[in-house]
Amino acid sequence: MDGVLVKEGQPVPGAAEFIARLRESGRRFLVLTNNSIYTPRDLAVRLRAAGLEVPEESIYTSALATAQFLADQRPDGSAYVIGESGLTTALHRVGYVLTDIDPDYVVLGETRNYSFEQITKAIRLIESGARFIATNPDPIGPSAEGSMPACGAVAAMITKATDVQPYFVGKPNPMMMRSAINAIDGHSETTAMIGDRMDTDVVSGMEAGLFTILVLTGVTPRQQVDRFPFRPSLVVDSVADLIPMLD
């Protein structure tokens, strides 16, 4: 989503036309984000405010991928959650009980206000045997004032205190890509991934067996592409360049 369709709250030139053409084509698609704060409905409203019409059923977050992973691993389990409505809503929908009493998992996501009390509780529960899951490894996130610590940074703090590494479900874990493909009944051989980062989007798409497209409107500039030991299938300036491919 960020860096591909929107940048600093504004739509990337051509993004609205690309989404419109994609919907007209009848192709199944999902807009992915590692951010677990918001529900798909929240994100649909935020995208609409930026001029992009993306239905909520076409938005897939690391929170949804995490909830699906836990439902597959331990159906109807329990979790102590550090996160916001995007994560708690996803876990409730798969039948999870959110509790601090002997939970099966500690699940860490993003929140605007990480609580030292919650982090301390998470550390003690992990020490007592709870399994440690995190929605994504992103160390920092953007804010109006600048960078702020995100899920990966807080996970590192908990790991330092417990000597327990979390299992990260979101990108660059290819599991998120496979989970998304399953959500739209797709197949890796006929699916393309469009992203703006070599180190998360492209590598996870490649490891999931997808056709990978890097757009240069986000994090990775063209001059850094060759620095990586893997390559995208295609490099374009922006999603506007992909519109003819939909015809």
Side-chain angles (χ1 to χ4, degrees):
M1 189 170 76
D2 295 325
V4 176
L5 298 178
V6 292
K7 190 169 185 178
E8 297 177 354
Q10 298 300 314
V12 169
E17 293 81 0
F18 175 74
I19 290 294
R21 188 71 64 84
L22 190 58
R23 296 182 67 183
E24 289 168 4
S25 73
R27 287 181 174 85
R28 290 162 289 171
F29 73 95
L30 287 177
V31 174
L32 270 63
T33 176
N34 254 1
N35 192 313
S36 66
I37 289 178
Y38 303 105
T39 66
R41 181 173 296 182
D42 297 332
L43 291 171
V45 171
R46 293 169 72 88
L47 287 170
R48 188 173 301 118
L52 302 175
E53 289 294 331
V54 181
E56 63 178 285
E57 60 270 20
S58 295
I59 298 175
Y60 199 73
T61 70
S62 64
L64 295 177
T66 299
Q68 186 59 57
F69 170 76
L70 293 181
D72 292 340
Q73 289 285 307
R74 190 173 292 265
D76 300 320
S78 61
Y80 177 71
V81 177
I82 299 177
E84 300 208 18
S85 60
L87 183 54
T88 57
T89 299
L91 287 169
H92 275 141
R93 286 182 175 172
V94 297
Y96 258 62
V97 173
L98 307 189
T99 180
D100 62 357
I101 302 173
D102 192 26
D104 297 315
Y105 297 96
V106 165
V107 182
L108 175 67
E110 272 99 8
T111 174
R112 300 173 187 86
N113 296 292
Y114 283 107
S115 158
F116 188 76
E117 180 181 350
Q118 286 184 313
I119 292 170
T120 301
K121 172 72 76 173
I123 289 168
R124 292 172 180 169
L125 290 171
I126 291 169
E127 288 176 335
S128 297
R131 302 156 188 85
F132 187 16
I133 300 289
T135 58
N136 69 82
D138 299 352
I140 59 172
S143 74
E145 295 77 28
S147 296
M148 59 186 296
C151 185
V154 178
M157 183 194 307
I158 295 173
T159 293
K160 190 70 173 177
T162 61
D163 200 30
V164 175
Q165 295 280 347
Y167 182 73
F168 292 107
V169 177
K171 300 177 295 181
N173 189 341
M175 176 174 290
M176 183 169 175
M177 293 294 179
R178 296 191 188 105
S179 180
I181 291 170
N182 291 337
I184 55 173
D185 195 26
H187 193 283
S188 59
E189 292 182 358
T190 54
T191 301
M193 187 291 310
I194 305 167
D196 72 306
R197 295 186 63 139
M198 287 289 289
D199 59 346
T200 57
D201 301 325
V202 172
V203 69
S204 59
M206 178 193 69
E207 291 180 354
L210 310 183
F211 186 91
T212 56
I213 302 171
L214 178 73
V215 294
L216 302 175
T217 48
V219 172
T220 303
R222 186 182 295 274
Q223 62 268 25
Q224 286 188 8
V225 174
D226 285 337
R227 298 288 301 275
F228 290 86
F230 50 87
R231 290 189 57 81
S233 309
L234 179 66
V235 180
V236 296
D237 289 329
S238 78
V239 289
D241 299 306
L242 301 176
I243 294 174
M245 293 178 65
L246 297 173
D247 294 332

